[in-house]
Amino acid sequence: MIRFSHTNFTFILTLSCPNRPGIVAAISKKLFDIGGNITEAQQFDYTEGGQFFMRIVFDIPKSETIQNSIEAEMAPLSETFKMEWTLTNMDKPQKVLILVSKFDHCLVDLLYRWRIGELAIEPVGIISNHPLETYKDIEFYGVPFHHLPITKDTKAEQEARIWDIFEKSGAELAILARYMQILSNEFSAKLSGKCINIHHSFLPGFKGARPYHQAFERGVKLIGATAHYVTSDLDEGPIIEQDVERISHADTPDDLIRKGRDIERRVLARAVRSHIERRSLINGKKTIVFND
Amino acid sequence: MIRFSHTNFTFILTLSCPNRPGIVAAISKKLFDIGGNITEAQQFDYTEGGQFFMRIVFDIPKSETIQNSIEAEMAPLSETFKMEWTLTNMDKPQKVLILVSKFDHCLVDLLYRWRIGELAIEPVGIISNHPLETYKDIEFYGVPFHHLPITKDTKAEQEARIWDIFEKSGAELAILARYMQILSNEFSAKLSGKCINIHHSFLPGFKGARPYHQAFERGVKLIGATAHYVTSDLDEGPIIEQDVERISHADTPDDLIRKGRDIERRVLARAVRSHIERRSLINGKKTIVFND
Amino acid sequence: MIRFSHTNFTFILTLSCPNRPGIVAAISKKLFDIGGNITEAQQFDYTEGGQFFMRIVFDIPKSETIQNSIEAEMAPLSETFKMEWTLTNMDKPQKVLILVSKFDHCLVDLLYRWRIGELAIEPVGIISNHPLETYKDIEFYGVPFHHLPITKDTKAEQEARIWDIFEKSGAELAILARYMQILSNEFSAKLSGKCINIHHSFLPGFKGARPYHQAFERGVKLIGATAHYVTSDLDEGPIIEQDVERISHADTPDDLIRKGRDIERRVLARAVRSHIERRSLINGKKTIVFND
Amino acid sequence: MIRFSHTNFTFILTLSCPNRPGIVAAISKKLFDIGGNITEAQQFDYTEGGQFFMRIVFDIPKSETIQNSIEAEMAPLSETFKMEWTLTNMDKPQKVLILVSKFDHCLVDLLYRWRIGELAIEPVGIISNHPLETYKDIEFYGVPFHHLPITKDTKAEQEARIWDIFEKSGAELAILARYMQILSNEFSAKLSGKCINIHHSFLPGFKGARPYHQAFERGVKLIGATAHYVTSDLDEGPIIEQDVERISHADTPDDLIRKGRDIERRVLARAVRSHIERRSLINGKKTIVFND
């Protein structure tokens, strides 16, 4: 859990680079020199790929220019170690754009967690391919709603409008909260690393349509859900979080769908939290997820 | 849990038949009339298939001819309702034949549960495609060991020898305790409903060779194991039991294999118990598994 | 899952009585004779207490007087076997009264499951010891809200008003959805078997105040929640459902409270479903919970 | 997973000290300067107690005197930061003494994991208050067995003999593998931090005798086990690992004991692995357990 203070900002630094001795020493000395106090740090040495990953949470005295200062100090280090890195100020919520189709359980759940202050997000828009009246029972708390219908012929155009909203709203993350349209490869590529999807049913077990019906036909004893980053490879992006529940022969496909809703909403919420707190780092086709 | 008594036998009757009114009434009246006392009963109406399934545990006064008497009484009912049924005297352990390859964790686990009286089985043979010395550290407690090596050319012959041992030993169930040979369609058909396999990794997620390496490459966050009845459709037989464990990016393929061993041995043991207590009934490509 | 039809009603019969041979036969014959078709049945023989429990789901042709007819037919059987029994028509939702205090996650969750038709309940009132404005962000969908403040001196009076609302609204079940007032023994006794509570944290581990802080102090690795029937023995009523989640040393008490919310809402929802579908039968200080 | 190499040793450094800026920088610079390559590091800032905890895995070129060198280099740092620290060479298995009473499932499981090379332990003795013949079906693979009977009057003397064996065998850890004798406060204090116990049933839920019977009486829906460090406070030592399994009303106390065996052996094995890999650090009445 990130703790806030009146005098300090809390930053999270994540980085990855080719592994070689001295990285940890160099980074921790640098942060110490500029007045940072490391409160949490995790690292992972991906031996198979020769790549090194690190996540550091640190406090530093508040000032208006502090983010620029840290970035300037990091630049030469980043050069030396050929790092990719991100620096996030945790004192402001992260702007998210939520996409949804007919089923609203993930949307309602995210809005609830935002409202009670559980997730440090700021929803800047809700986009659906269904009209507003589909959600007439849901309180949006002032978040702008965009109805962007889609047909086979208007896919490119609709995606352009989504992208436009994403950019203009300053969104940092798109959440596909049971948005049932397949994104084009081009659009997926644009959103790469900035878009999380929840796949109902347990990937990679059941791909394609109606996975709960497939699970029913196959008589499996566990069903689950998978949250992953969107890439151009449909349902094959880096997995962030998965969970399962036990089912039985007495569960109909409708029961599986019902039980699935509970799994989907908690798996998606955990994945969003993981991303927001910069715990999930992409490593090729996989993720590093540092535990809280 | 089955409880034993000095004066009564405990029987389990399982049956399936096309669903129609009156089945439960007819069966329960019949058992009452012949002196049986029902202590446990579960039923399931598979609406989609129009089929009815039932499992009844009952006590009945001990006598040498009681099994024959019950079977005789059941015959006309079975005719009327077009039932398939089994009747099992729970007072004697069930004879099992255990097949194993190089990895011994499931074998050792089954032998342990048998030795301490946890599983009501009587191992009547252990068959391996590896020689006895592979298992030099394991105590077999007198269970006969058969080394049946196999090559591509001798598969049919080797399977004939397994079948011969199965029949001569009076085995009622064959347990593939990480036996890594693929049974021929013909042999699978012979063993249908009488053979349980443990599939490492979570089916149907990862088919084919080296599933834990597949899971590692894919970066999944859960791994599991599946125990199923063997049919001619490789790794696609009716699933009896599944379980999973959480893994992380830091787990190497060797870690997955290690964690997998724990899942495999408990999933296989639960499936064998389920079969022994007649809780798992085959329903086409699926199972009904009545909970304990 | 209960399935509905145009021509039939679905009833659930639950019963308990001293165990003796012939109960199942008698009941199933009776239901067959009056035109019922059993689609689901579970029974449990509590050997330790000599008591027999049964739950039967059956379809029967629709008519206005059918419930009375079944009850009349059951009366002599009930006499013979000294049964306690309930008969529930599943075609109408069950009226529930929801009590809540400051934390609204269980309330919001129940309302959501009701709104999308997942739980066959009809909320007939929401009672809180906090004023309406506490819930200004929640849509009640027309369910009447009652603000019933309470002080040490007005407890008896406040409980009398709750009881009055319970009776006048025709409520069949009271749900304490994180209602943080301790009911008096007299009031608990009145609601016995008709009131479900969710206890945050894992009972019986941590009794008393601030259980998540207790769990933090103790350094446990799992936290959970317990749903139980209310009796005069505080937090000691028959347990219906429990669940846990893994935690770590890095979780602060606030993290435990956050994780606890997810556990609490799903455990309470499962317990309410269990009660609504008459799967949970009280057996002294315990419950029988027949699995779905 | 610890990986071994021909040219390097793998060491694990754990430390705790009052938190202040610069610790990570100082430690990582020091290890870099002496030729260490950090492959894994976790840290935890226990804000509530002002204490900082760290675990570092590093490789360093092999030499006979390397451990002494590292220790010498660490000394001044340790002084500066008022650290408590341990340094463990992971290239040699850790010597463990296993204590057991009548139930052998944890003992058999530990011996199995040792035999197949899963746990980097070297059992240097097995101590029981029961005679050797109790274990006649178990292969000890040459590990010395000590029968140390105990009566109320000989407790002090028996514990002295255990301590003597512990010291003479060079044991680094004592494992109470269902050893059913309560250690005296004095003996517990001697073994503090060097002794792991498995408590059947889910602590702190059910203390005292026959916890599974207590769980049965109370009608709980989950049972579990807890592994913890032994302290003078019986069953209240810092918890290392816990797990649970779902149970039902149909489970008799014997069923709970059976299901408990599976939980106990996996919880104990995980706790031992955690200790061996220096993942579990004691923090007052709690532990820090760094995930693998």
Side-chain angles (χ1 to χ4, degrees):
Chain A
M1 197 195 163
I2 310 296
R3 297 162 201 243
F4 299 99
S5 104
H6 288 291
T7 52
N8 291 322
F9 279 134
T10 298
F11 279 93
I12 300 181
L13 174 71
T14 70
L15 60 91
S16 73
C17 60
N19 196 9
R20 67 177 229 206
I23 304 168
V24 181
I27 295 282
S28 44
K29 180 169 187 318
K30 172 63 73 185
L31 292 177
F32 179 62
D33 289 348
I34 64 176
N37 182 32
I38 298 178
T39 57
E40 214 186 316
Q42 293 112 338
Q43 59 187 70
F44 176 63
D45 176 13
Y46 185 54
T47 316
E48 287 75 4
Q51 198 75 359
F52 179 85
F53 296 84
M54 193 165 191
R55 173 187 184 266
I56 301 171
V57 186
F58 63 96
D59 293 335
I60 201 159
K62 281 192 180 181
S63 87
E64 259 183 42
T65 56
I66 186 68
Q67 180 136 6
N68 291 341
S69 302
I70 306 173
E71 286 172 0
E73 293 281 346
M74 280 296 298
L77 263 186
S78 149
E79 189 89 354
T80 309
F81 289 100
K82 301 186 196 321
M83 282 177 193
E84 292 187 38
W85 58 286
T86 68
L87 181 72
T88 310
N89 184 338
M90 293 307 288
D91 287 65
K92 42 180 193 175
Q94 287 165 47
K95 292 180 175 169
V96 302
L97 186 65
I98 305 176
L99 287 86
V100 66
S101 289
K102 194 176 148 204
F103 297 112
D104 61 17
H105 53 285
C106 288
L107 170 65
V108 167
D109 188 62
L110 289 171
L111 291 174
Y112 179 76
R113 294 180 196 267
W114 161 56
R115 178 172 71 73
I116 66 167
E118 180 182 307
L119 266 183
I121 55 173
E122 179 192 340
V124 292
I126 296 165
I127 292 176
S128 176
N129 54 324
H130 294 268
L132 182 56
E133 65 176 26
T134 307
Y135 312 101
K136 65 181 188 307
D137 291 327
I138 304 178
E139 174 63 62
F140 285 161
Y141 305 103
V143 179
F145 175 84
H146 309 270
H147 176 212
L148 300 186
I150 185 168
T151 66
K152 223 167 28 178
D153 296 336
T154 62
K155 192 185 194 77
E157 185 190 338
Q158 194 246 20
E159 291 185 343
R161 293 183 62 190
I162 299 175
W163 182 247
D164 191 54
I165 293 168
F166 187 84
E167 289 209 304
K168 288 201 173 127
S169 65
E172 295 157 282
L173 178 71
I175 304 173
L176 308 187
R178 293 297 307 274
Y179 179 66
M180 303 305 282
Q181 298 297 317
I182 296 170
L183 306 190
S184 68
N185 285 355
E186 295 71 31
F187 193 42
S188 298
K190 262 184 183 170
L191 287 170
S192 186
K194 288 180 290 201
C195 182
I196 294 175
N197 185 35
I198 178 74
H199 191 284
H200 52 322
S201 185
F202 188 66
L203 262 180
F206 296 107
K207 297 179 190 174
R210 309 218 314 164
Y212 291 122
H213 287 78
Q214 289 186 55
F216 174 75
E217 290 301 327
R218 185 68 184 80
V220 296
K221 304 303 182 195
L222 295 170
I223 55 165
T226 296
H228 61 94
Y229 284 112
V230 168
T231 61
S232 55
D233 193 359
L234 171 67
D235 291 340
E236 291 281 346
I239 295 169
I240 307 170
E241 170 69 1
Q242 299 185 297
D243 206 354
V244 293
E245 270 188 31
R246 196 159 276 271
I247 59 166
S248 87
H249 61 272
D251 285 306
T252 63
D254 279 351
D255 290 321
L256 302 193
I257 289 167
R258 166 174 61 81
K259 293 186 176 183
R261 276 196 297 268
D262 271 33
I263 315 175
E264 290 161 23
R265 67 182 190 176
R266 73 169 179 263
V267 167
L268 180 59
R270 282 183 200 151
V272 169
R273 167 178 299 277
S274 206
H275 177 86
I276 290 296
E277 298 187 351
R278 299 292 180 262
R279 297 184 182 282
S280 48
L281 279 62
I282 294 178
N283 175 20
K285 295 172 64 178
K286 311 197 276 190
T287 57
I288 313 300
V289 179
F290 292 119
N291 285 315
D292 57 356
Chain B
M1 198 196 163
I2 310 297
R3 297 159 199 245
F4 299 98
S5 104
H6 288 291
T7 52
N8 290 322
F9 278 134
T10 297
F11 279 93
I12 299 181
L13 174 70
T14 70
L15 60 91
S16 73
C17 61
N19 196 9
R20 66 178 230 206
I23 305 168
V24 180
I27 295 281
S28 45
K29 181 172 187 315
K30 172 62 72 186
L31 291 178
F32 180 62
D33 289 349
I34 64 176
N37 181 33
I38 297 177
T39 57
E40 212 185 318
Q42 293 111 338
Q43 58 188 72
F44 177 63
D45 176 13
Y46 185 54
T47 315
E48 287 74 4
Q51 198 75 359
F52 180 85
F53 296 83
M54 194 166 191
R55 173 185 184 267
I56 301 170
V57 186
F58 62 96
D59 293 335
I60 201 159
K62 282 191 179 183
S63 85
E64 259 184 41
T65 57
I66 186 66
Q67 179 138 6
N68 291 343
S69 302
I70 305 172
E71 287 173 0
E73 292 282 347
M74 279 296 296
L77 263 186
S78 149
E79 189 88 354
T80 308
F81 289 100
K82 302 188 195 321
M83 280 176 196
E84 291 187 39
W85 57 287
T86 68
L87 181 72
T88 310
N89 184 338
M90 292 307 289
D91 288 66
K92 43 180 192 173
Q94 287 166 46
K95 292 179 175 169
V96 301
L97 186 65
I98 304 175
L99 287 86
V100 67
S101 290
K102 192 176 150 205
F103 297 112
D104 61 17
H105 53 285
C106 288
L107 169 65
V108 168
D109 188 62
L110 289 170
L111 290 174
Y112 179 75
R113 293 179 197 270
W114 161 56
R115 177 172 71 74
I116 66 166
E118 180 182 308
L119 267 184
I121 55 173
E122 179 191 340
V124 292
I126 295 165
I127 292 177
S128 176
N129 53 325
H130 294 268
L132 182 56
E133 66 177 24
T134 308
Y135 312 101
K136 65 181 189 306
D137 290 326
I138 305 178
E139 173 63 63
F140 284 161
Y141 304 104
V143 179
F145 176 83
H146 308 270
H147 176 213
L148 300 186
I150 185 169
T151 66
K152 222 166 28 173
D153 296 336
T154 63
K155 191 184 195 75
E157 185 190 337
Q158 194 246 21
E159 290 185 344
R161 293 182 62 192
I162 299 175
W163 182 247
D164 191 55
I165 293 168
F166 187 85
E167 289 209 303
K168 288 202 172 123
S169 66
E172 295 157 281
L173 178 71
I175 304 172
L176 308 187
R178 294 297 308 274
Y179 179 67
M180 302 305 283
Q181 298 297 318
I182 296 170
L183 306 189
S184 69
N185 285 354
E186 296 71 30
F187 192 42
S188 297
K190 262 185 183 168
L191 287 171
S192 186
K194 287 179 291 200
C195 181
I196 293 176
N197 185 33
I198 179 73
H199 191 284
H200 52 322
S201 184
F202 188 65
L203 262 179
F206 297 108
K207 298 179 191 175
R210 310 221 312 165
Y212 290 121
H213 287 77
Q214 290 186 56
F216 174 76
E217 290 302 327
R218 186 67 185 83
V220 298
K221 304 303 182 193
L222 295 169
I223 55 164
T226 295
H228 61 93
Y229 283 112
V230 168
T231 62
S232 55
D233 194 358
L234 170 67
D235 290 338
E236 290 282 344
I239 294 169
I240 306 170
E241 170 71 359
Q242 299 185 298
D243 206 353
V244 292
E245 270 187 33
R246 196 160 276 271
I247 58 166
S248 87
H249 60 271
D251 286 306
T252 62
D254 280 351
D255 290 320
L256 303 194
I257 288 168
R258 164 174 62 80
K259 292 186 176 184
R261 278 196 295 268
D262 271 33
I263 316 175
E264 291 160 22
R265 67 182 191 177
R266 73 171 178 262
V267 167
L268 179 59
R270 283 183 199 151
V272 168
R273 168 178 299 276
S274 207
H275 176 87
I276 291 295
E277 297 186 353
R278 299 291 180 262
R279 296 185 183 281
S280 49
L281 280 61
I282 293 177
N283 176 20
K285 293 172 65 177
K286 308 199 277 191
T287 56
I288 314 300
V289 179
F290 291 119
N291 286 314
D292 55 355
Chain C
M1 197 194 164
I2 309 297
R3 297 161 201 244
F4 299 99
S5 103
H6 288 291
T7 51
N8 290 322
F9 278 134
T10 298
F11 279 93
I12 300 181
L13 174 70
T14 68
L15 60 91
S16 73
C17 60
N19 196 10
R20 66 177 230 206
I23 303 168
V24 180
I27 295 283
S28 46
K29 180 170 185 318
K30 172 61 73 185
L31 291 178
F32 180 62
D33 288 348
I34 64 175
N37 182 33
I38 297 176
T39 58
E40 214 185 315
Q42 292 112 338
Q43 59 187 70
F44 176 63
D45 176 13
Y46 185 54
T47 316
E48 287 75 4
Q51 198 75 0
F52 179 85
F53 296 84
M54 192 165 192
R55 174 185 183 265
I56 302 172
V57 186
F58 63 96
D59 294 334
I60 201 160
K62 281 192 179 180
S63 87
E64 260 183 40
T65 57
I66 186 67
Q67 179 137 6
N68 291 341
S69 303
I70 305 171
E71 287 172 0
E73 294 280 348
M74 280 297 296
L77 263 186
S78 150
E79 189 88 355
T80 308
F81 289 99
K82 301 186 196 320
M83 280 176 195
E84 290 187 39
W85 57 285
T86 69
L87 181 71
T88 310
N89 184 338
M90 293 307 290
D91 288 65
K92 42 180 192 174
Q94 286 166 48
K95 291 178 175 168
V96 302
L97 186 65
I98 304 176
L99 288 87
V100 67
S101 290
K102 193 177 148 203
F103 297 112
D104 61 16
H105 54 285
C106 288
L107 169 64
V108 168
D109 189 62
L110 289 170
L111 291 174
Y112 179 76
R113 294 179 196 270
W114 160 57
R115 177 172 71 73
I116 66 166
E118 180 183 307
L119 267 183
I121 56 173
E122 179 192 340
V124 293
I126 296 165
I127 292 176
S128 177
N129 53 325
H130 295 268
L132 182 56
E133 65 176 26
T134 307
Y135 312 102
K136 64 181 189 305
D137 291 326
I138 304 179
E139 173 63 63
F140 285 162
Y141 306 104
V143 179
F145 175 84
H146 310 269
H147 176 213
L148 301 185
I150 184 168
T151 65
K152 223 167 27 177
D153 296 336
T154 63
K155 193 186 193 76
E157 186 190 336
Q158 194 245 22
E159 291 185 342
R161 293 183 61 191
I162 299 175
W163 182 247
D164 191 54
I165 293 168
F166 187 85
E167 289 208 303
K168 289 205 172 122
S169 65
E172 296 157 280
L173 179 71
I175 305 173
L176 307 186
R178 293 297 308 274
Y179 179 68
M180 303 305 282
Q181 297 298 317
I182 297 170
L183 306 189
S184 70
N185 285 355
E186 297 70 31
F187 192 41
S188 297
K190 262 185 184 169
L191 286 171
S192 185
K194 287 179 290 201
C195 181
I196 294 175
N197 185 36
I198 179 74
H199 192 284
H200 52 322
S201 185
F202 187 66
L203 262 179
F206 297 107
K207 297 179 190 173
R210 310 221 310 166
Y212 291 122
H213 288 76
Q214 289 186 56
F216 174 76
E217 290 303 326
R218 186 67 184 83
V220 298
K221 303 304 181 193
L222 295 170
I223 55 164
T226 296
H228 62 94
Y229 284 111
V230 168
T231 62
S232 55
D233 193 358
L234 171 66
D235 291 338
E236 291 281 344
I239 295 169
I240 307 171
E241 170 70 1
Q242 299 184 298
D243 206 353
V244 292
E245 270 187 33
R246 195 160 277 271
I247 59 166
S248 86
H249 60 273
D251 286 305
T252 62
D254 279 350
D255 289 320
L256 303 193
I257 289 168
R258 165 173 61 80
K259 293 186 176 182
R261 276 197 296 267
D262 271 34
I263 316 175
E264 290 161 23
R265 67 181 191 176
R266 73 170 180 263
V267 167
L268 179 59
R270 283 183 200 150
V272 169
R273 168 179 299 277
S274 205
H275 177 86
I276 291 295
E277 297 187 351
R278 298 291 180 263
R279 296 184 183 283
S280 48
L281 280 62
I282 293 176
N283 175 21
K285 294 173 65 177
K286 309 197 277 189
T287 56
I288 314 299
V289 179
F290 291 120
N291 287 314
D292 55 356
Chain D
M1 199 195 162
I2 310 297
R3 297 160 202 244
F4 300 99
S5 103
H6 287 291
T7 52
N8 292 322
F9 278 134
T10 297
F11 278 93
I12 300 182
L13 174 70
T14 70
L15 60 92
S16 73
C17 60
N19 196 10
R20 66 177 229 207
I23 304 167
V24 180
I27 295 282
S28 44
K29 180 170 186 317
K30 171 64 73 187
L31 291 178
F32 179 62
D33 289 348
I34 63 175
N37 182 33
I38 297 178
T39 57
E40 214 184 317
Q42 292 112 339
Q43 59 188 71
F44 177 63
D45 176 14
Y46 185 54
T47 315
E48 286 75 4
Q51 197 75 0
F52 179 85
F53 296 84
M54 194 166 189
R55 173 186 185 265
I56 302 170
V57 185
F58 63 97
D59 293 334
I60 201 159
K62 282 192 179 181
S63 86
E64 259 184 42
T65 57
I66 187 68
Q67 180 136 5
N68 291 343
S69 302
I70 305 172
E71 287 173 359
E73 294 280 347
M74 279 297 296
L77 264 186
S78 150
E79 189 89 355
T80 308
F81 289 99
K82 302 188 196 318
M83 281 176 194
E84 291 188 39
W85 57 285
T86 69
L87 180 72
T88 310
N89 184 338
M90 293 307 289
D91 288 66
K92 43 182 193 174
Q94 286 165 48
K95 292 179 175 168
V96 301
L97 186 65
I98 305 174
L99 287 87
V100 65
S101 289
K102 194 177 148 204
F103 297 112
D104 61 17
H105 52 286
C106 288
L107 169 65
V108 167
D109 189 60
L110 289 171
L111 291 174
Y112 179 75
R113 293 180 197 268
W114 161 57
R115 178 173 70 71
I116 66 167
E118 180 182 307
L119 268 183
I121 55 172
E122 179 192 341
V124 293
I126 296 165
I127 292 176
S128 177
N129 53 326
H130 294 267
L132 182 57
E133 67 176 23
T134 307
Y135 312 101
K136 64 180 189 306
D137 291 326
I138 304 178
E139 173 63 61
F140 285 161
Y141 305 104
V143 180
F145 175 84
H146 309 269
H147 176 212
L148 301 186
I150 184 169
T151 67
K152 221 166 28 174
D153 296 336
T154 63
K155 193 184 194 75
E157 184 191 337
Q158 194 245 20
E159 291 184 343
R161 292 183 62 191
I162 299 176
W163 182 246
D164 191 54
I165 293 168
F166 186 84
E167 290 209 303
K168 289 204 172 123
S169 65
E172 295 156 282
L173 179 71
I175 305 172
L176 307 187
R178 295 296 308 273
Y179 179 67
M180 303 305 282
Q181 297 298 316
I182 296 170
L183 307 190
S184 69
N185 284 355
E186 296 71 32
F187 192 42
S188 298
K190 262 186 185 170
L191 287 171
S192 186
K194 286 180 290 200
C195 181
I196 294 175
N197 185 34
I198 179 74
H199 191 284
H200 53 323
S201 186
F202 187 65
L203 261 182
F206 296 108
K207 297 178 191 175
R210 309 222 309 166
Y212 290 122
H213 287 77
Q214 289 185 55
F216 174 76
E217 290 303 328
R218 186 66 185 84
V220 298
K221 304 304 181 194
L222 294 170
I223 55 164
T226 294
H228 62 94
Y229 284 111
V230 168
T231 61
S232 56
D233 193 357
L234 170 67
D235 291 338
E236 290 281 345
I239 294 170
I240 307 170
E241 169 71 0
Q242 299 185 298
D243 206 353
V244 292
E245 270 188 32
R246 196 159 275 272
I247 60 165
S248 87
H249 60 271
D251 285 306
T252 62
D254 280 350
D255 289 320
L256 302 193
I257 289 167
R258 165 174 60 80
K259 293 185 175 183
R261 276 196 297 266
D262 271 34
I263 315 175
E264 290 160 22
R265 66 181 190 178
R266 73 171 178 263
V267 167
L268 180 59
R270 283 183 200 151
V272 169
R273 166 178 300 277
S274 208
H275 177 86
I276 290 296
E277 298 187 350
R278 299 292 180 261
R279 296 184 183 283
S280 48
L281 280 62
I282 294 177
N283 176 20
K285 294 173 65 178
K286 310 196 278 190
T287 56
I288 314 298
V289 179
F290 292 119
N291 286 314
D292 56 354

